[in-house]
Amino acid sequence: MNSYVNTAVGALLGTVFVLMSVSIASEGIFHSEKPEKEGFAIVAEEASTGGGEAAPAAAVPIAQLLAKADAKAGETVFKKCQACHDATKGGPNKVGPGLYGLVDRPIAAHEGFAYSSAMKDFSKGGSEKWTFDHLNHFLAAPKKYVAGTAMGFAGLPKDTDRANVILYLHTLADSPVPLPDPNAPDSATQ
């Protein structure tokens, strides 16, 4: 063999040896154990490929949940929403629209906010309103209820959390609409 080839192969093997040694040493020095419990798990659900309005079935009607709900607890749960939504009267739009006066407001109609085409289609030209029932299903799984919505929130799976937030949102209005009657047979659609 040529001495240049021997030198090149020796340099290559020497470099590989040094890199492997550094890798093994640094892994030993900077090794960290996996925590027993994750600090915060982010749950992201894939959007369904089916048509819009494919919502999970509500086991308990929203009217009955609202009868037991607590607006103060809803204000606490709402803190998850404050990164993207403002709830003050006349407050600014953020990543999402302002939510003051949301209950019984036409869907996709908050002034100055650019809604996704999926949300505009769901609103049926503004004829659909944010009823208690719509809010319940949407907050349970936004991307399942309005397929294609830009809202990246995974949802509130617990009935009590949703009811508390909806009751809190209900209080954020100049003149809140009446709560649905929990004893009425068709109160879930109010």
Side-chain angles (χ1 to χ4, degrees), residues 67-135:
K68 300 173 188 170
D70 178 12
K72 195 72 174 161
E75 184 177 7
T76 302
V77 176
F78 183 77
K79 290 180 182 178
K80 296 177 182 181
C81 311
Q82 287 178 329
C84 298
H85 295 281
D86 184 82
T88 60
K89 184 176 181 178
N93 289 322
K94 292 182 174 182
V95 174
L99 298 182
Y100 187 85
L102 175 71
V103 178
D104 207 37
R105 178 170 80 195
I107 295 174
H110 190 265
E111 188 175 323
F113 187 77
Y115 288 93
S116 66
S117 59
M119 190 60 77
K120 288 178 186 175
D121 292 344
F122 183 78
S123 76
K124 299 177 184 168
S127 64
E128 288 289 324
K129 293 186 176 188
W130 281 118
T131 62
F132 294 104
D133 195 47
H134 274 316
L135 285 168

Side-chain angles (χ1 to χ4, degrees), residues 53-59 133 136-145 162:
E53 297 190 45
D133 195 47
N136 185 35
H137 290 296
F138 184 70
L139 291 176
K143 291 199 179 285
K144 286 184 181 176
Y145 195 60
R162 281 194 316 278

Side-chain angles (χ1 to χ4, degrees), residues 26-79:
S26 62
E27 186 177 320
I29 294 170
F30 297 108
H31 179 73
S32 62
E33 296 293 323
K34 183 176 179 181
E36 290 180 25
K37 182 180 176 190
E38 294 178 7
F40 184 75
I42 298 175
V43 179
E45 295 182 20
E46 293 295 319
S48 66
T49 56
E53 297 190 45
V60 180
I62 188 61
Q64 292 175 10
L65 293 171
L66 287 171
K68 300 173 188 170
D70 178 12
K72 195 72 174 161
E75 184 177 7
T76 302
V77 176
F78 183 77
K79 290 180 182 178

